[in-house]
Every structure is written in C-alpha cells, then in structure tokens.
Amino acid sequence: SEYAGQLQRWTDAVLPGRLLVLESEKLFREPSVTESLLDWLGLPANREPFPAVNAAVRTADLDEQLVSDLRDHFDEKNEELFELLGTKLWID
C-alpha cells in the first residue's frame, strides 16, 4: 500500500525513536525480529514467533499482467517509504 504519507504524519508528530517499523512477514517468520521487537518494547524475551493469524493459502495463480501493473504502480511509492525509513524493507 501507500505507507510513506501515513508514516510521515507519524514521524512529524512523535519524537525520534518512538516508532518502530517492521515487516510483518519477518516478524512471523524470524525469531530474531521477534526478539528485537520485545527488546525495543522493554519486554522479556520469548522464543516463540508471533502467530500469523491472517495467513491464507493462495488458491489460484496470480495474473502476471496484474502483478506487473501493481509493481509499476507501487515502485515509486515504495521508494518514498524506503527513503523515509532509511532502509529498504523488502526485496522482490
């Protein structure tokens, strides 16, 4: 989605270091991300990953033209987000 504008409003409203942006895919999959989140929140470590309660099994093939169109649409918006964050969050 188009996150940069929304995130910019938050970064304008709160002090630096008060926001943490994570990729939910990594949060659900990588224990180190869970550990870093809990540490950032000042909570005790937990070895269990966060449950991906909204994960669904894809039942149909993706339309390649639609995927291409969506990538084209979001490329610039994603770059704005990555620039705002100072890091690239996901790699195709």
Side-chain angles (χ1 to χ4, degrees), residues 7-80:
L7 186 58
Q8 184 66 60
R9 288 190 289 279
W10 277 103
T11 59
D12 291 344
V14 300
L15 295 172
R18 303 274 306 188
L19 292 174
L20 178 65
V21 177
L22 301 170
E23 293 176 71
S24 60
E25 295 87 354
K26 287 185 179 178
L27 180 64
F28 299 139
R29 178 178 74 233
E30 299 176 20
S32 63
V33 176
T34 300
E35 291 172 19
S36 66
L37 170 61
L38 294 172
D39 183 57
W40 188 82
L41 291 170
L43 297 172
N46 177 2
R47 290 284 179 197
E48 296 298 318
F50 282 84
V53 296
N54 65 343
V57 176
R58 184 170 290 137
T59 59
D61 291 334
L62 295 175
D63 179 314
E64 292 301 320
Q65 184 59 51
L66 175 60
V67 170
S68 177
D69 292 346
L70 288 170
R71 287 184 198 280
D72 290 345
H73 174 80
F74 285 110
D75 275 347
E76 183 177 329
K77 295 164 188 339
N78 288 340
E79 289 305 319
E80 290 173 17

